[in-house]
Amino acid sequence: MDLRNPFGLKDGQIVMIEDIPQSMNGQRCGCVCPACKDIFEARMGEIRRHHFAHSGKGCSETNAYIAGLYMLLNEYLSSGQPLYMPPVIVQFDLSEYYYLDETNVRDHVRILSRSKDEKREIVLYTSKYVQFTASKIMTDSDNKPVALLAAVADKRLAIRITPPDTVCKRSSASQYEDYPTLEIDLSDEGERIQNSPKSELFKYFMNTHEIYHWVFNPIIEEAFPRVIMRSKTYYDAAQARIKKETEERLAEEKRLEEARKAAEAEKQAAEARRLEKQRIAAEAKKAKAEQEKRDEARRIHEETGGYISGKIGSRYITKTLDEITEKRPYSNILIEFSRSNFEKAISDIREYKQAGVSMLYTKMCFISLAETAILLQIYDELKSTEPDTAEVLEYLMDKSGIVYK
Ligand SMILES: [Zn+2]
């Protein structure tokens, strides 16, 4: 890194290269390295940026730069100028699913120096200026500065400087031991430091607020009871809301399920009613058909005087004809039969009337030759046109001994 160091040390005080008049170029500046105390020379040429450089081998420019930076700030504090302290803001997590208590609150709080989201913050202290009565540079085992420890009364504050990122790679400042630790972030201020006299830099330290950040301050514990309370309040409200929403959702699901079941039951009931209606209709139809069959049988029975109740010519009718001829074999009344009388009797038979059968049978038992001729004539006609009626006639002729074949 082609670092140009603007910090020199003269008579125990930091001198910025901008404070050196051109006339004191080179070793005439009378400065030494802030880190290794080797002799410095001021290099204030026309082209390159003004800076100090070791006249001999010396230490590294980075060492010199960082040592100079801490010494500058130390001088600022020692000169009685107050340091800006940003507000102490405690930022905390709020969750619907857990709340904070003494055991976990530390894992869920952060210290802020500027407000980000007021809902999750407690401003513990507002900003202020503090005038320190003592300060000293703390170094590591390599004698490199790592923090500035400032004191007022019995209070201590560690200050860590983040140097310009042109000096060394940026890394976030960390807590120094157990002290409240403030970072002064100069990562973007390489140019300003390079080009400013010491008085300007002191004004800059005084008036610029955004470079100060809290890294750590145990004082935030004062806010823990309030953080815990707000976390619990938030959690309780969220849980109540979640519970209410869950209950409403379950109630809605239950209502939908019941409506679905009711609709299903109604559908089944409707189907049952339809089937019952169908069954009743089928039974009624069957009953009606049976009734019609019975009515028809009764009508035939009544019309035939109870002897002929089916189709003439069937075996059943033959049997009832037997009954007729056995029950009423003869009559004493002789009826004169013309063709029209025969036809009247046959018409009755055709209409299933027992009167016709019995009348014809009675006559046929005492039939004359002329009448036999008429009867056979009718029989011949009926054989081709009405075989059923002819069959009844055949039976009657068999019974009464008339030869017709
Ligand atoms: Zn040096």
Side-chain angles (χ1 to χ4, degrees), residues 88 90 111 124-125 155 180 216-224:
V88 178
V90 181
I111 188 166
L124 199 56
Y125 290 97
K155 296 207 168 98
F216 167 72
N217 196 332
I219 207 166
I220 63 169
E221 292 184 11
E222 290 178 13
F224 285 1

Side-chain angles (χ1 to χ4, degrees), residues 33-38 40 54 58-60 64:
C33 169
C36 69
K37 311 296 192 289
D38 274 6
F40 260 180
H54 293 89
C59 65
S60 82

Side-chain angles (χ1 to χ4, degrees), residues 256-268:
L256 289 174
E257 176 63 11
E258 280 169 1
R260 195 191 62 71
K261 280 183 182 165
E264 180 65 24
E266 175 52 35
K267 196 177 160 190
Q268 286 177 359

Side-chain angles (χ1 to χ4, degrees), residues 360-372:
L360 198 55
Y361 176 64
T362 306
K363 173 60 188 169
M364 282 160 70
C365 292
F366 305 97
I367 197 165
S368 66
L369 276 175
E371 289 164 342
T372 304

Side-chain angles (χ1 to χ4, degrees), residues 315-362:
R315 289 176 61 172
Y316 176 71
I317 293 303
T318 304
K319 190 180 171 194
T320 58
L321 287 173
D322 281 340
E323 287 171 3
I324 292 167
T325 55
E326 277 160 22
K327 280 183 181 171
R328 303 189 59 186
Y330 300 106
S331 167
N332 292 327
I333 303 161
L334 294 176
I335 302 163
E336 186 69 17
F337 260 79
S338 63
R339 180 177 175 102
S340 63
N341 283 340
F342 275 125
E343 283 181 342
K344 171 76 175 67
I346 287 164
S347 174
D348 282 351
I349 292 168
R350 201 180 279 137
E351 292 171 18
Y352 315 139
K353 287 183 178 168
Q354 184 259 339
V357 177
S358 54
M359 185 172 72
L360 198 55
Y361 176 64
T362 306

Side-chain angles (χ1 to χ4, degrees), residues 74-83 130-133 202 206:
N74 195 23
E75 276 181 32
Y76 175 85
L77 294 177
S78 303
S79 67
Q81 307 209 57
L83 191 72
V130 174
Q131 197 173 0
F132 290 93
T133 52
F202 277 14
M206 172 79 82

